[in-house]
């Protein structure tokens, strides 16, 4: 019947319109009506966000993420459409959430333990169904995660205090290596070397060239960040991805060499207990057939890059904020003198350093490095009244939530924001739940040890420039927030303290 109605031999469609409408306009009217129907059909979601607009909306939103960076695009869309909204990335529906109640729901449930991103991009950097950071295979991720938990808690956590303290002391004794001609300290390079050295000494224990590996880690991170949301067509044009291919290969080759050396040492060790660590446990799992060689190498790579990649920038931001807020530095130094005194920091000091802890937390709130959490829904759900279909991508905009809810002075860097206990649903620098950051405890230990050891020896200052403050620092807000490293304004001045008081430079 319907086909008959559309057949001009049986039905005169031109009789449906006024005679004044030219016959030539009919195809245009029909096409317009059809496109409007499709537009309205595709854009029936109750969740706020840009319109589908015949497929143009998804193209524009994906392009915005590629152009602005993930973090900047998320802030743009939340500001434009609210704290629970919908866009498209790689053609897939994606929710951007900066509302604490919705974040709490996503983080605590097991059906949000998968990551998302370009499959080809993740394959390119070795993270597709490998490692732990962006492993989007929940079953394999559950196999890998216990190795990280064991290494990053318990005895490993205790040992890291001594290892990290020894590392920062060694590097501070060789501070000239990271100073420029003007005597200013390249803090990022210093921190990256310390973080890599401490991680290696605890998890791998193979001699390496710190400077060379640090450079390779930065190249790898840049490639990972650049490729995470690239469309599939990008990977069909070799000259577009060639430079990223080299960066990824350089680090993977270096880690492969170190891992092979570790395998050799394990196989020839007289006493296995002398070489037991994170890497050794993985190698044993490979021999049992629980993990592939590729996965073992990727896990070791990710363990070594985690701290130099993000924690080094966190410490840089923290030192900048301390330099800009003398009262915070004074409060920290008084606590250091009371708790630690003139000796080196020990494991039993860690829990007592509450002012130091609050300064770290406030820095991570006010100027976060990792301010996004990316998940995928593994089943249909409802979040704060909004239906969420299986397969929906979700970005939790934690950095924005930390500026919108609970804190009395959200737009200031002040220890007053942590003067009282903060409910953990309102402050999630490491996330929580089944896929929270597995290294959150050891990260806090490392930052406390580094901060205490450094500030006991040096008073830190930024360069005397109106632009040398963290608010005016040029930053890139993509997969993580990083400073623009093409400027000398990142360097700082380290002034030796008077050892008698520990307070005055």
């Amino acid at each position: 019947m319907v086909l008959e109605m559309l057949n001009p031999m049986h039905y005169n469609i031109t009789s449906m319109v006024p005679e004044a409408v030219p016959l030539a306009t009919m195809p245009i009217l029909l096409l317009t009506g059809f496109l409007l129907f499709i537009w309205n059909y595709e854009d029936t979601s109750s969740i706020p966000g840009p319109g589908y607009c015949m497929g143009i909306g998804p193209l524009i939103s994906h392009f915005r993420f590629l152009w602005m960076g993930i973090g900047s695009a998320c802030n743009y869309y939340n500001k434009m459409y609210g704290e629970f909204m919908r866009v498209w990335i790689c053609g897939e529906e994606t929710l951007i959430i900066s509302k604490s109640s919705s974040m709490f729901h996503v983080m605590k449930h097991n059906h949000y333990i998968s990551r998302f991103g370009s499959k080809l991009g993740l394959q390119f950097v070795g993270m597709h169904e490998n490692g732990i950071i962006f492993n989007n295979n929940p079953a394999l991720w559950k196999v890998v995660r216990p190795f990280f938990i064991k290494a990053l808690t318990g005895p490993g956590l205790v040992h890291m205090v001594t290892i990290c303290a020894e590392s920062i002391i060694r590097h501070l004794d060789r501070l000239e290596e990271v100073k420029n001609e003007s005597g200013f300290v390249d803090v990022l390079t210093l921190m990256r070397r310390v973080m890599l050295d401490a991680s290696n000494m605890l998890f791998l224990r193979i001699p390496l060239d710190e400077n060379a590996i640090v450079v390779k880690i930065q190249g790898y991170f840049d490639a990972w960040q650049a490729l995470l949301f690239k469309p599939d067509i990008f990977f069909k044009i070799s000259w577009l991805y060639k430079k990223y291919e080299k960066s990824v290969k350089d680090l993977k080759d270096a880690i492969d060499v170190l891992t092979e050396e570790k395998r050799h040492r394990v196989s020839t060790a007289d006493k296995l207990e002398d070489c037991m660590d994170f890497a050794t446990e993985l190698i044993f799992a490979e021999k049992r057939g629980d993990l592939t060689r590729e996965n073992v190498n990727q896990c070791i790579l990710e363990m070594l890059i985690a701290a130099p990649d993000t924690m080094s920038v966190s410490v840089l931001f923290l030192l900048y904020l301390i330099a800009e807020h003398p009262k915070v530095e004074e409060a920290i130094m008084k606590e250091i003198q009371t708790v630690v005194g003139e000796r080196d920091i020990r494991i039993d000091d860690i829990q007592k350093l509450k002012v130091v802890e609050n300064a770290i937390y406030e820095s991570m709130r006010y100027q976060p490095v990792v301010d996004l959490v990316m998940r995928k829904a593994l089943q249909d759900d409802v979040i704060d009244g909004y239906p969420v279909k299986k397969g929906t991508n979700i970005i939790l905009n934690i950095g924005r939530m930390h500026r919108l809810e609970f804190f009395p002075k959200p737009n200031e860097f002040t220890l007053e924001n942590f003067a009282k206990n903060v409910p953990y649903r309102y402050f999630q620098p490491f996330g929580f739940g089944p896929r929270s950051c597995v290294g959150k405890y050891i990260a806090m230990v490392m930052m406390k040890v580094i901060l205490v050891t450094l500030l006991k020896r040096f008073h830190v200052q930024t360069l005397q420039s109106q632009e040398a403050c963290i608010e005016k620092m040029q930053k890139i807000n993509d997969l993580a927030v990083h400073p623009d490293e093409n400027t000398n304004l990142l360097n700082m001045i380290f002034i030796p303290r008077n050892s008698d008081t520990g307070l005055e430079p």
Side-chain angles (χ1 to χ4, degrees), residues 134-148:
F134 258 79
N135 190 333
N136 48 11
N137 180 332
L140 184 58
W141 170 80
K142 289 178 181 179
V143 173
V144 169
R145 185 175 171 89
F147 293 97
F148 285 84

Side-chain angles (χ1 to χ4, degrees), residues 274-287:
D274 293 338
C275 62
M276 289 304 298
D277 51 30
F278 172 73
T280 304
E281 296 278 7
L282 290 171
I283 290 168
F284 285 164
E286 177 192 336
K287 291 181 177 180

Side-chain angles (χ1 to χ4, degrees), residues 291-302:
L291 296 174
T292 65
R293 176 175 292 255
E294 181 185 9
N295 207 339
V296 168
N297 289 14
Q298 183 66 25
C299 285
I300 293 172
L301 181 151
E302 292 183 17

Side-chain angles (χ1 to χ4, degrees), residues 56-75:
I56 297 174
L59 290 176
I60 292 176
S61 63
H62 189 184
F63 175 75
R64 186 175 295 281
F65 277 85
L66 296 176
W67 168 49
M68 296 181 69
I70 302 171
S72 296
C74 287
N75 287 331

Side-chain angles (χ1 to χ4, degrees), residues 115-133:
R115 299 284 196 193
F116 76 93
S118 161
K119 179 179 177 179
L120 294 179
L122 291 174
Q123 286 176 337
F124 206 94
V125 298
M127 289 185 171
H128 177 65
E129 300 192 357
N130 267 322
I132 190 175
I133 301 176

Side-chain angles (χ1 to χ4, degrees), residues 22 26 28 38 42 123 167 189 198 220 259 339 344:
M26 289 307 303
I28 298 175
I38 294 297
E42 295 285 355
Q123 286 176 337
S167 181
T189 298
Y220 180 90
T259 306
V339 175
D344 293 338

Side-chain angles (χ1 to χ4, degrees), residues 428-482:
Q428 288 298 333
F430 300 105
F432 81 99
R435 192 146 187 172
S436 62
C437 176
V438 71
K440 56 187 174 183
Y441 300 115
I442 208 165
M444 286 300 296
V445 164
M446 292 178 73
M447 284 191 283
K448 284 184 179 181
V449 170
I450 289 172
L451 188 64
V452 168
T453 307
L454 193 156
L455 291 183
K456 280 180 63 178
R457 293 181 59 172
F458 296 98
H459 166 72
V460 294
Q461 288 184 349
T462 58
L463 303 185
Q464 297 301 313
S465 169
Q466 291 183 349
E467 297 181 0
C469 65
I470 202 163
E471 288 79 13
K472 294 184 179 180
M473 182 188 294
Q474 294 295 315
K475 307 180 194 75
I476 300 169
N477 189 0
D478 200 349
L479 182 60
V481 181
H482 278 63

